Amino acid sequence: MGHEKDQEKEMGVVMDTPERTQIANPLSKFEDSPVFNYINSLSPIKPVKSVHFTQTFSTLNFATIPSVFTSPHVSSLKDSKFLKRHQFSDSSKPELTSDDAKKAETSEGNLNATQNLLKQQTDINSSNSITDTSAAPSSGCSNLESRKLIYEPVRLGTNTLKTAGPSALSVPFISNGPENGSFRNEPEVEGINELPQSKEVSTCDWDSLISDGSELLNFNSPTDTVSYKAPDQNTLHPTSFNTLLTNAKPQANPLENDEGLKGAAENYVVVTSTSLNKFEVGVPVEDTDNEGGSLNKFEVGEPVEDTDNEGGSNLYRGMRRRCLVFEMNGSRRKHFEDVSNGSSANVSESNQTVAPSDNNLRPSRNGNLRGIGLHLNSIASNLVDHKHVKHESSGSGRQLIIAPSAAYPSMGSGRELMTTLSDSPDVGPALNVAEDASKAVGFVVNDELSQSQTSPRKKRRRAENVGEAEACKRCNCKKSKCLKLYCECFAAGVYCVEPCACLECFNKPIHEDTVLATRKQIESRNPLAFAPKVIKTSDPMQEDESSNTPASARHKRGCNCKKSGCLKKYCECYQGGVGCSINCRCEGCKNTFGRKDGSDMDLEGNECDTNGSDGSLQTVFHTEAEPVSATPATPSRFGSARQSIPLMNSKGKPPRSFLAIGSSSNPRFGKLNPFRGGGGTKQLQTVGENEIPDVFEEKNGSPISGVKSCSPNSKRVSPPHSNSIMGQRSSRKLILQSIPSFPCLTPNSKH
DNA sequence: GAGTTTGAAACT
DNA sequence: CAGTTTCAAACTC
């Protein structure tokens, strides 16, 4: 028992959450229970485990946890997820010893999370009549998948254990059955069962589980679960699932309904497979704060309790999702790095990595969103630039997108998100509208930028190297005062920030009036001056020629390259990852994305992949581009089409532009952005009524449409799978839009 | 890191 | 609209 107390102490101290302590107690009870003893007898490691477990747990996770609670829960989860993912990929360590307890917690958390998720999803689905299953579910699916991967790693991470298999959760249970795994599982189950008895919280969870079990089941069965499961099934092993069920049953206390347990187990399984449910539900929020994201375990357990307690108001959930998403992004970065580095990364490592990143991202705590935003942007850019990363990013992207999408699909959802965001300290003030949200994103971006302390060029290069950094890129204007289109920041409709190396910069909130005036002036000359340069055509029309490639997208005005052969970033077409078009006046065009003459497509695998694989990206771009696209000089091809989005790829900066465009909402920027006020409308009008309306309509015609900006992230966001789902698209768009706007808000503005 | 190249943006 | 200049990014060394 002494060790139990120790655990509790650790839990309590680190976590500060009563919940954890409660959980700890149940664990101790488990230990006392005959089953526990039996297990101990079976397993070589016994009492020590519990202690050890708590330690790792507390140490890694707890540090972060407290912050998490304070801040929106969402973020933490995300981080953990990311970590988990990486870890998962790493999957180097399977340590069972500490895992057992964790597993138990996780299982509980999963159940609760699943319930919450189910509720949320159901709510979302119901609320979002428009997006319906397509949007929410799809998003959910993607999230689930990614999360799922993460989820397991998380547990492992917390425990320091790493399951090699993707289906880690299920695997451990099954494989370990007799040994540690089984041991853990049983104790967990028992503990869970007992918990309700002993503790209110636990009981609540179980009750909710039981009562919700139907919901969960329903949820699963319905569109969401089914669709999700399919992809995830690979990871999940039916066998493992069964084992879980079987384990759960015997273990389940008579007090609690076996069915409830089964349901929970099923749910749990499903969740793991889908991963979304849990993560989305609650864990994320708190975790966001967690720097380390090591909380995996906590996430699991906490979320459950939290979710139960909360009752899972949709709004709250929505917040969590968002937060998670954002954080996930951040974690993602690190994860990417970690992954690239090698699977060896331990949970602790992942945590560490995550934490720093978060910190960096957020100078001020407010910035949960910031961190996220940055991540997203960076991610998107990364994706574009780094194809190899795509999958992961896409996965994360999905997650990111998904959460928002789910919320956004309907206006109501979108608003909820907004509200949730507002709830978050960081976002709070900025958000009134979707635009605000977008602004918040901008902040994030700015923060990242600010983070980079090196000279702009260095930063750039870093960013390029990293991928994320690119998003952070800023201008280096010397003479333009950042009030001309030469300035990337200004052109993107965003204020310059610290990372910028510009001189005599007027592109600051302080000079808002000047900026706005200048923008107006420029717009008067060219209404599309601030519109995305690359327009994408989703329409079949163009697809004829370039269907396979980015060719679907074209530069609004076309390039005028003479010497670069349209093979370097000097060429805006190439930079934008699109083929040259009739509009181009280039000489000796060799654009790999598509030549002016129409031979476009020699697409390099990369680019093509980008575009093609990025279907999601495209969608995102559409959103962004749409506003612009309307005008696009693009030839007939584009006519109907929605614009393509300016690809982030080229520079990684593109996100800015998107942001700027979409970001108009930003108070600062809003003014800046022509888009925003009259200007904003102007662009919209100019851009093409067609596209914009379509987009909005797709979105359900939700007012959200107001937000336009696309985030580079969006690419990631859109999961490959999601492509099939149209509904998601709309939601994505919304999400993306919101993201871009944030940058504008960023106080980080340089100078 | 400095210098060069390049092409868009701005100007005439 | 065309030509020139200015500018800053992209690129090279």
Side-chain angles (χ1 to χ4, degrees), chain A residues 486-634:
Chain A
Y486 296 126
C487 176
E488 291 186 357
C489 297
F490 181 80
V494 299
Y495 289 110
C496 292
V497 294
E498 291 179 358
C500 294
C502 48
L503 300 177
E504 296 179 358
C505 178
F506 279 82
N507 186 22
K508 304 174 192 174
I510 297 171
H511 302 287
E512 184 176 356
D513 294 342
T514 302
V515 174
L516 292 175
T518 303
R519 286 181 70 98
K520 287 181 180 179
Q521 186 177 359
I522 294 170
E523 284 184 347
S524 65
R525 289 184 298 190
N526 178 10
L528 297 179
F530 294 94
K533 292 179 180 177
V534 176
I535 298 166
K536 174 188 173 179
T537 303
S538 62
D539 292 349
M541 295 180 65
Q542 288 190 339
E543 286 183 329
D544 322 335
E545 294 175 356
S546 61
S547 60
N548 291 340
T549 68
S552 61
R554 289 287 185 274
H555 192 274
K556 179 174 61 180
R557 290 199 289 172
C559 65
N560 191 29
C561 302
K562 305 294 184 192
K563 297 179 180 178
S564 66
C566 299
L567 290 174
K568 294 186 178 180
K569 286 188 175 180
Y570 296 125
C571 175
E572 290 188 354
C573 296
Y574 181 86
Q575 188 176 27
V578 300
C580 292
S581 65
I582 296 168
N583 293 334
C584 296
R585 299 168 297 284
C586 50
E587 296 177 358
C589 179
K590 295 178 182 177
N591 189 339
T592 56
F593 293 97
R595 296 180 187 176
K596 176 172 69 176
D597 58 1
S599 61
D600 42 339
M601 320 323 75
D602 64 349
L603 308 174
E604 295 173 352
N606 297 339
E607 303 254 347
C608 293
D609 291 350
T610 355
N611 293 341
S613 64
D614 294 351
S616 64
L617 292 177
Q618 291 175 346
T619 57
V620 171
F621 290 112
H622 290 295
T623 4
E624 291 178 353
E626 288 177 354
V628 173
S629 65
T631 42
T634 59

Side-chain angles (χ1 to χ4, degrees), chain A residues 363-424:
Chain A
S364 62
R365 197 34 108 166
N366 294 343
N368 291 344
L369 294 177
R370 291 178 183 178
I372 295 165
L374 291 177
H375 293 293
L376 293 176
N377 292 340
S378 65
I379 292 166
S381 63
N382 291 344
L383 291 176
V384 172
D385 292 348
H386 306 283
K387 294 174 181 177
H388 63 279
V389 174
K390 287 179 181 178
H391 295 289
E392 291 177 353
S393 65
S394 65
S396 63
R398 292 177 187 173
Q399 291 175 347
L400 294 174
I401 294 166
I402 292 165
S405 65
Y408 286 91
S410 64
M411 287 301 295
S413 64
R415 289 181 183 176
E416 290 178 352
L417 291 175
M418 296 300 292
T419 56
T420 58
L421 292 174
S422 63
D423 292 348
S424 67

Side-chain angles (χ1 to χ4, degrees), chain A residues 315-391:
Chain A
L315 293 175
Y316 179 78
R317 291 175 182 175
M319 290 181 68
R320 288 180 180 179
R321 287 183 179 178
R322 286 196 94 177
C323 294
L324 290 174
V325 171
F326 290 129
E327 283 192 359
M328 296 212 36
N329 292 344
S331 62
R332 245 177 115 182
R333 285 190 278 168
K334 294 177 180 179
H335 289 291
F336 285 102
E337 293 176 355
D338 293 348
V339 170
S340 63
N341 291 344
S343 63
S344 64
N346 291 342
V347 173
S348 63
E349 290 178 356
S350 64
N351 291 340
Q352 291 174 347
T353 58
V354 172
S357 65
D358 291 348
N359 292 340
N360 293 341
L361 292 177
R362 308 174 185 169
S364 62
R365 197 34 108 166
N366 294 343
N368 291 344
L369 294 177
R370 291 178 183 178
I372 295 165
L374 291 177
H375 293 293
L376 293 176
N377 292 340
S378 65
I379 292 166
S381 63
N382 291 344
L383 291 176
V384 172
D385 292 348
H386 306 283
K387 294 174 181 177
H388 63 279
V389 174
K390 287 179 181 178
H391 295 289

Side-chain angles (χ1 to χ4, degrees), chain A residues 19-292:
Chain A
E19 294 174 354
R20 297 222 176 270
T21 55
Q22 291 175 348
I23 292 168
N25 291 340
L27 293 175
S28 63
K29 290 179 180 179
F30 287 101
E31 291 177 354
D32 292 349
S33 66
V35 173
F36 180 81
N37 293 338
Y38 174 76
I39 292 165
N40 289 341
S41 63
L42 293 176
S43 67
I45 300 168
K46 296 175 180 175
V48 173
K49 290 178 180 178
S50 63
V51 173
H52 173 70
F53 165 78
T54 54
Q55 290 174 346
T56 56
F57 196 177
S58 63
T59 57
L60 294 176
N61 296 341
F62 292 98
T64 58
I65 292 168
S67 63
V68 172
F69 286 107
T70 58
S71 65
H73 301 287
V74 174
S75 63
S76 64
L77 291 176
K78 291 176 180 179
D79 292 351
S80 64
K81 290 177 181 178
F82 285 104
L83 294 177
K84 291 176 180 179
R85 282 187 96 184
H86 294 293
Q87 291 174 348
F88 174 80
S89 63
D90 293 350
S91 71
S92 59
K93 300 177 178 176
E95 292 176 358
L96 296 178
T97 59
S98 64
D99 293 348
D100 294 347
K102 292 178 179 179
K103 288 179 180 177
E105 290 178 353
T106 56
S107 64
E108 290 178 355
N110 290 342
L111 292 175
N112 293 334
T114 54
Q115 290 176 348
N116 293 334
L117 290 175
L118 292 174
K119 289 179 180 178
Q120 291 176 347
Q121 291 178 345
T122 55
D123 293 345
I124 293 166
N125 292 340
S126 62
S127 65
N128 297 342
S129 61
I130 297 168
T131 56
D132 294 350
T133 58
S134 65
S138 65
S139 63
C141 292
S142 63
N143 290 342
L144 292 173
E145 291 176 354
S146 62
R147 291 178 183 176
K148 175 176 146 185
L149 294 175
I150 294 162
Y151 179 81
E152 291 177 355
V154 171
R155 292 179 182 173
L156 294 175
T158 55
N159 295 339
T160 65
L161 296 178
K162 294 179 181 178
T163 59
S167 62
L169 292 175
S170 63
V171 171
F173 289 100
I174 297 166
S175 64
N176 292 341
E179 296 176 355
N180 294 342
S182 63
F183 168 76
R184 288 285 179 185
N185 294 341
E186 290 177 353
E188 291 175 354
V189 172
E190 290 178 355
I192 293 167
N193 295 337
E194 291 177 358
L195 291 174
Q197 295 175 347
S198 64
K199 294 180 181 179
E200 291 177 354
V201 173
S202 62
T203 55
C204 293
D205 292 348
W206 285 102
D207 292 346
S208 64
L209 289 174
I210 295 167
S211 62
D212 294 348
S214 62
E215 291 179 354
L216 292 174
L217 293 175
N218 291 342
F219 177 82
N220 293 341
S221 64
T223 58
D224 294 350
T225 56
V226 172
S227 63
Y228 293 95
K229 287 178 180 178
D232 292 347
Q233 286 174 345
N234 294 340
T235 58
L236 294 178
H237 298 284
T239 56
S240 64
F241 179 89
N242 294 337
T243 57
L244 290 172
L245 294 174
T246 57
N247 291 341
K249 290 179 181 178
Q251 293 173 346
N253 291 342
L255 294 177
E256 293 178 353
N257 293 344
D258 292 349
E259 291 178 354
L261 291 175
K262 291 178 180 178
E266 289 176 355
N267 292 339
Y268 175 79
V269 172
V270 171
V271 171
T272 56
S273 64
T274 57
S275 73
L276 278 184
N277 297 340
K278 253 184 89 171
F279 290 103
E280 287 177 354
V281 173
V283 176
V285 172
E286 293 176 356
D287 290 352
T288 51
D289 290 350
N290 296 346
E291 295 171 354

